[in-house]
Amino acid sequence: MNIQVSPSPIPNSNAVSLTSMLDRDDYLTGLLNQVTAIKIEGWLQELRQSAANWVRHSIIPTTREEEWRFTDLSSLRKVQFNLETVNYESLEFDILPEAANSRLVFVNGVYAPELSAVSDLPSGIVVSNLAGLPAVEQEGVQQYLAQAEGAQEVFTALNTAGITDAAVVWVKKNVVVETPIHLVFISAVGETATISQPRCLVVAESGSQVTLVEEYTNRQDAKSAKEEVCLTNAVTEIWVGDNADVSHTRVEQEGAEAFHIGKTAIAQARDSRYTCHAITLGAKLSRHNLEILQTGEQTQTTLNGLTIISGKQLSDTHSAIALNYPHGTSDQLHKCIVGDRAHAVFNGKVFVPKLAQLTNASQLNRNLLLSSKARIDTKPQLEITADNVKCAHGATVSQLEDDEIFYLQSRGIDENDARKLLINAFAAEVINQIPIPSLREILLNTVNNLKSLTNE
């Protein structure tokens, strides 16, 4: 059974006026012209051209489409974005001690060798930008880059159409990498609205093991008096070979005026294990499509997600797990903490076709609303045709309990600190599962310092 894991790239069939259709095409064409301005040669240009042709026949999604009905991109369409190169030598970011010499840094999608460090890596692993790979290794990359399911989704295709470089992590057969790999993607915002399109390819061959941290952050130009707008359109493809083990932490903490659209596509072969910790803290509007395709039996998939937003932020997480073979196991927990007038969206799909007998799948979305004006739209979804499976899903929406706050106050803790303790405990269930101690500490401190979450 062939399952389309990602949202269909076919434009919405609902009737729209010719004028609005032309407007959308014009805007998307403008973005396409920006990201394809730099020309390259060889197989990568052919890949880019094929994706560009698809984009020219696509439209930016609207709320008329089911997969986007809670996420309105009209504010994005009001901004004219430009490719911008910056002087990145003075940029600062958090260096994880565990990955001090095993990191790649990209600024506005461009590899920054002066900020990167890959000297602390064992033999059997390649961590490099695509342009820096020898020709023989680039031939291997061709078999995987832009080959994941859902490559025709409009933002994924736009990213592919503009590829000039990418972060590449390739772990050879039976190699166990103890050192975590830190991939940092910085959007350096100048005096104009900036678009960047980070690309990441991870290949874990059979029997290998690797831990990844994928981080998205902003850096503002010091000369700019106000925070400028930027768009990050990121795509990560992860190929997990037979009996391989990939632990993946994704952190998005971009600025208050940022738009972030991300795609993570994973293919899991027989007996493989994939764990994702997806943390969303930043951006004015963010959307993360997390898509897992099982390509062999007895896979284990663990997805932990945490979204913390306030103000007028909108954060949308769409996940899809296609368990196409028997004996697969998936366990998903996604938690949202929503304050002020913020709006969180969770849509999680699990597909279990008839072939996937003896599947064990669970999915839970837990939400904490901190304000009477905060909003959550949640839709956990199972589509099962197999008859010998164990599957469950559910969603909860709650607020901080007055009796819990009163109990803490009776122990001498003021109201704000009591609320903060309860919020931190709710978030810690996900953060404490991240395997890198320094990153856990950074995230726990970040949550603890979010003052906007302690008062309505």
Side-chain angles (χ1 to χ4, degrees), residues 363-376:
Q363 182 184 75
L364 177 61
N365 175 220
R366 296 182 61 198
N367 304 284
L368 182 63
L369 301 183
L370 304 179
S371 163
S372 59
K373 295 181 173 61
R375 175 181 172 186
I376 174 73

Side-chain angles (χ1 to χ4, degrees), residues 308-359:
I308 304 178
I309 54 176
S310 59
K312 295 183 180 180
Q313 287 179 276
L314 187 153
S315 178
D316 183 347
T317 297
H318 270 59
S319 67
I321 307 172
L323 299 170
N324 296 328
Y325 293 85
H327 302 282
T329 300
S330 72
D331 185 8
Q332 181 175 23
L333 171 64
H334 189 86
K335 306 183 83 171
C336 298
I337 302 174
V338 190
D340 300 325
R341 297 174 178 268
H343 180 192
V345 180
F346 173 76
N347 183 295
K349 301 184 184 70
V350 180
F351 300 97
V352 187
K354 190 171 184 179
L355 181 63
Q357 301 295 337
L358 300 174
T359 290

Side-chain angles (χ1 to χ4, degrees), residues 127-143:
V127 179
S128 173
N129 64 315
L130 176 59
L133 291 176
V136 63
E137 292 182 347
Q138 288 202 20
E139 291 179 4
V141 168
Q142 291 183 52
Q143 301 176 35

Side-chain angles (χ1 to χ4, degrees), residues 377-439:
D377 288 288
T378 177
K379 186 182 180 183
Q381 184 177 343
L382 294 176
E383 296 187 15
I384 305 171
T385 53
D387 52 14
N388 186 11
V389 299
K390 183 180 179 180
C391 297
H393 67 161
T396 64
V397 180
S398 62
Q399 296 176 317
L400 295 176
E401 297 291 340
D402 289 339
D403 56 349
E404 293 178 346
I405 295 175
F406 177 77
Y407 174 81
L408 292 173
Q409 287 181 291
S410 71
R411 296 300 186 268
I413 301 173
D414 68 37
E415 181 179 355
N416 271 347
D417 286 342
R419 290 171 61 88
K420 188 178 293 186
L421 278 173
L422 295 172
I423 293 169
N424 288 354
F426 188 86
E429 184 180 3
V430 173
I431 294 175
N432 284 339
Q433 297 187 57
I434 295 173
I436 302 168
S438 64
L439 182 57

Side-chain angles (χ1 to χ4, degrees), residues 142-194:
Q142 291 183 52
Q143 301 176 35
Y144 294 96
L145 188 64
Q147 301 305 311
E149 190 82 12
Q152 289 79 31
E153 186 272 329
V154 61
F155 288 106
T156 305
L158 181 65
N159 180 291
T160 302
I163 290 179
T164 56
D165 208 350
V168 178
V169 178
W170 195 301
V171 189
K172 302 296 183 181
K173 183 177 180 180
N174 295 328
V175 172
V176 176
V177 184
E178 301 289 349
T179 304
I181 311 301
H182 190 192
L183 307 174
V184 184
F185 299 98
I186 301 173
S187 292
V189 185
E191 296 183 356
T192 62
T194 305

